[in-house]
Amino acid sequence: MDKMLSLPDDLIRPAHEILDPHALARELEGIRNSTPDATRARTQVVARLNAARLAGAAAIAEGLAAEPFAARKTTRAYTWLTDCILIEVLAQARASLPADTTAQLGDFAVCAVGGYGRGEMAPFSDVDLLFLTRKAITPGLEALIEAMLYVLWDLHLKVGHSSRTIRECLKLGGEDYTIRTALMETRFLAGDAPLVDQLNDKLWSDLFKGTEKEFIEAKLEERYNRHQKQGGQRYVVEPNVKEGKGGLRDLQSLYWIGKYVHGVQSVGELVRLGLFTRDEYATFQKAEDFLWAVRCHLHLLANRPQDQLTFDMQVQVAERMGYRDRGGRRGVEHFMQAYFRQANAVGELTRIFLTQLEAENVKGDAMLERVFRRRPKIGAPYKVVHGRLAVADEDSFLKDKMNMLRVFDEGLRTGMLLHPDAMRMVHANLDKIDDAMREDPEAAKIFLGTLLKHGNPERGLRRMNELGLLAAFIPEFEPIVAMMQFNMYHHYTVDEHTIQCISNLAAIEHGDLQEELPVASTILAEGVNRRVLYVALLLHDIGKGREEEHAVLGAKIARKVAPRLGLTPEECDTVEWLVRYHLLMSDMAQKRDIADPRTVRDFAKAVRSRDRLDLLTVLTVCDIRGVGPGTWNNWKAQLLRTLYRQTRKALETGLEELNRTHRGQEAQRMLAEKLIGWSQEDIERELARHYPPYWQGLHVSTQAAFAGMLRGGLPVDEIRIDLKADDDHDATRALFAMADHPGIFARLSGALALVGANVVDARTYTTVDGYATAAFWVQDAEGAPYEASRLPRLTQMIHKILRGEVVTREAMQDRDRIKKRERAFKVSTSVAFDNEGSEIYTIIEVDTRDRPGLLHDLTRTLAASNVQISSAVIATYGEQVVDTFYVKDMFGLKLFSDSKQKALEAKLREAIAAGQERARS
């Protein structure tokens, strides 16, 4: 017998506003009865069904827009709407069959399975159906199923279907855990209801019973593989709401396991069984509601089944769910912080649930060994349970609230993972951590011991953070927990970035990165104040997310927190300084020309001592490496090493050593030694042809290459190009020599942009005898040097562009594009002029949105304004770029005039705005 659909009262909109199934059935029956032509009747029925489906879906979407967090009522509404449509599709299919075919249908039932069977549907979820038969499928039933499927496809529904007997269900379910899981959520829709009851009885008695251990093992294996495929960690910048770590599939897996092992029909029943507390069940519901709401909004915005929160979708979902800009942060950042906090809650629930199953000796040994490693026994107040550190007596343990800190220290000391019951207990008693405990020297000693005494504290810190203990003990840390920075540069949330930085520091200390990080490794081997360094790293980004500049606010916060952690007044001063200036070395190395003696001199004056230089160098290395995979490279390493060594030398020998004359003489001496086989006359000619700035900015190997390119002179119309991999800098060095003329820098940057090269550093010089030399360091689209096999072709293409065979501005229009998923990022433009940072140049710093043609637009604008570019330093941070130019005016002077600066700034801003509009079109 077919299922009779009642009007439920728990949907996002009143059921009759979504669809009236009885009125629809009468209307469709009327169409069939009044239209003799079966083909025409079918067309009209399908059209009316589709209109009803679309109208119902629109009503549900309107309801969700009005109540953007009402996920359960929404998923139930989509399920109910689909049920109504399915029943009428079945009626239409039956009516379309001849009477003799209908008589041969046999016993069958139409069932919903999978997510549809569970009653949880997003706007574009698959419609998974099981056509269940008592015996082998008859020709009549096969015709009915085919007729149904054609109608469903005409309705543009994505249908997954299978036709099986009970015996086949048991056989295939026994072979495939995905099929077994889907069958576990079989829901009767129409046909022979007792047949479905019989299937369910057989599943539980013949298939599920006695196989609990294997099922759990399979689900955990599936979970592990799914997480690895999605990135292996919770804080992925573009998370998958369904499949990612901490996503809906993790919650569904808990329910599946609970149902399979205990036969529960709802997650709420797990409370009665003691697997969850009431608070934990409330957390489950809150996380599930949030994630389902996000998924429904995603589907509606994309108008298709999309489960990945891409950057552009994050902004739109945040807006639909009511997150607004406030407190110096964008609405999307508030939204993603909420998302990651829910994902973290899912992780905690998973740990708790698996622990309870383990206590019942259900979990398989193989997965047990992967997730929890066994350790030797230890003494009171702890015990070892399943190889993990557990609390022997909870009441006595909590009498000394310091134990809530000690347990993490003990976990690191013994190398054991904490038992989830111990973590559960800590989380439930966070209210015991009060101001008195935060000010207690003993608590500070325990906490610093956790940071400093046991190798890498990463695992302990991450557990402290996930359980809320880190924010309870250091309340100033709470705002950055799960805080997402909405840009393409940062791979992690602020708290996870902090933990990654500390993990990098521990790895350097341990000697794991000696070859990759020789300077930082040597500094730590020679000895620094570890207390200062670890605390400064812990606090360096603690001021993020507020309206005040985060390094300034962070320094103020550090001034309050550091004394509580037991640091001396002198140590507190150093921590405060490090937090305040934690970006200084990175900015100097990446945004300034470190070949200019003034850069090093200014940095040395800011640092003032070797101790602070050492601490800041290590902190900077850890900070950059902690941003995410691929952020650290040889280019940045070389810049930091050079700045460190030059500053250390200046601090040791005096700042007067940093002068152009001294450097120039040394550079000329080294080049003369390098020009083996050259006559003294040729060497002297080469040394005399360059102006003083030439000797400051280039390595001797590059100067030697230019000497060879210029030897004997070159014709007026000839351009010599030398491309070579510079492995020390993770870039390709591109050298150009030609007759000097205005706008060379713009022409070269345009040519390089057209071949897809990203410029990371560049400098140009003119010679006494009228030549121009230009050195660019470029990377491919992946941020790596070009492969040697590509260099000849690249050289040929650049020659073609420079000869004028390609019009740069026209060709650039096709390449200068911002990808759709990256358009949601907002980057404000700033243009700053600095006449103090260099003795002979004005420094123009342009901070704006990056795009392929930006450097060409800027340099062309500068050339058109009669501004001579000596060098350019390009620092890229995801979608943001800082282009720094060292320039003079046409008379070789600095740009001192305010009116000239304002006029030039206006032209640069106009070029940027025009380029961005072109790139978005």
Side-chain angles (χ1 to χ4, degrees), residues 180 201-214 260:
R180 191 182 305 194
D201 290 343
K202 285 285 188 181
L203 286 172
W204 286 98
S205 63
D206 296 3
L207 182 58
F208 299 166
K209 187 176 181 181
T211 61
E212 295 86 354
K213 183 175 179 179
E214 291 81 0
Y260 200 97

Side-chain angles (χ1 to χ4, degrees), residues 19-36:
L19 189 146
D20 185 337
H22 308 296
L24 180 63
R26 289 193 298 271
E27 186 178 352
L28 297 180
E29 187 64 26
I31 291 173
R32 284 189 288 266
N33 292 337
S34 63
T35 311

Side-chain angles (χ1 to χ4, degrees), residues 224-489:
Y224 175 81
N225 292 334
R226 186 176 70 249
H227 288 172
Q228 293 304 112
K229 186 177 180 181
Q230 293 296 327
Q233 54 105 11
R234 199 167 290 124
Y235 301 117
V236 178
V237 289
E238 293 183 298
N240 188 301
V241 180
K242 181 181 177 183
E243 303 288 349
K245 194 170 187 178
L248 280 167
R249 189 65 85 203
D250 280 359
L251 288 175
Q252 290 161 359
S253 295
L254 298 186
Y255 171 65
W256 291 331
I257 293 172
K259 184 172 185 176
Y260 200 97
V261 175
H262 296 288
V264 300
Q265 297 304 308
S266 71
V267 178
E269 293 179 47
L270 297 175
V271 177
R272 177 177 53 81
L273 294 169
L275 290 167
F276 282 149
T277 65
R278 290 196 179 279
D279 285 346
E280 288 159 355
Y281 173 54
T283 299
F284 185 106
Q285 286 191 303
K286 184 179 178 182
E288 188 176 47
D289 285 351
F290 181 87
L291 294 171
W292 266 112
V294 171
R295 189 178 183 217
C296 287
H297 288 297
L298 255 180
H299 279 213
L300 290 170
L301 285 165
N303 200 33
R304 61 184 176 84
Q306 175 167 326
D307 295 321
Q308 188 170 17
L309 262 175
T310 55
F311 291 127
D312 55 329
M313 284 298 181
Q314 288 172 18
V315 176
Q316 297 178 67
V317 172
E319 189 174 341
R320 282 182 66 103
M321 295 183 74
Y323 290 90
R324 299 290 178 258
D325 297 356
R326 58 182 171 82
R329 297 172 64 206
R330 292 182 65 182
V332 64
E333 293 176 317
H334 292 290
F335 163 62
M336 291 305 296
Q337 184 171 30
Y339 178 89
F340 286 125
R341 289 190 172 189
Q342 294 300 339
N344 180 60
V346 173
E348 289 304 305
L349 290 170
T350 301
R351 270 192 291 274
I352 290 165
F353 185 80
L354 296 182
T355 302
Q356 296 298 334
L357 288 176
E358 185 184 54
E360 299 170 6
N361 295 313
V362 174
K363 271 183 61 182
D365 293 336
M367 183 56 62
L368 180 65
E369 281 300 311
R370 173 180 296 156
V371 182
F372 304 112
R373 291 169 292 173
R374 297 187 178 278
R375 299 293 178 186
K377 291 184 178 181
I378 55 172
Y382 306 106
K383 62 180 180 179
V384 177
V385 177
H386 298 298
R388 286 165 291 178
L389 186 67
V391 173
D393 184 277
E394 188 171 316
D395 291 335
S396 61
F397 183 88
L398 290 173
K399 285 179 181 177
D400 182 357
K401 53 192 177 186
M402 297 294 175
N403 283 332
M404 293 207 295
L405 287 172
R406 289 191 185 103
V407 69
F408 293 94
D409 186 68
E410 185 69 7
L412 289 176
R413 185 190 69 80
T414 59
M416 278 193 285
L417 296 174
L418 295 191
H419 193 281
D421 277 351
M423 293 191 278
R424 194 180 199 176
M425 178 196 64
V426 168
H427 182 69
N429 290 279
L430 292 176
D431 57 340
K432 295 183 183 298
I433 300 176
D434 52 17
D435 287 341
M437 179 174 170
R438 296 182 191 108
E439 300 284 348
D440 193 318
E442 177 65 17
K445 182 180 179 182
I446 297 168
F447 181 77
L448 280 182
T450 304
L451 277 181
L452 300 171
K453 285 169 31 183
H454 309 299
N456 197 332
E458 176 186 359
R459 179 166 49 83
L461 275 177
R462 185 170 288 111
R463 286 290 172 264
M464 281 184 177
N465 186 40
E466 290 173 346
L467 293 171
L469 184 133
L470 190 55
F473 185 61
I474 306 176
E476 295 86 351
F477 197 84
E478 197 279 336
I480 65 170
V481 173
M483 178 187 285
M484 183 243 199
Q485 302 166 87
F486 190 66
N487 56 54
M488 291 174 59
Y489 180 61

Side-chain angles (χ1 to χ4, degrees), residues 17 55 119 215 454 485 503 653 787:
E17 293 183 13
F215 181 80
H454 309 299
Q485 302 166 87
S503 178
T653 63
E787 295 178 5

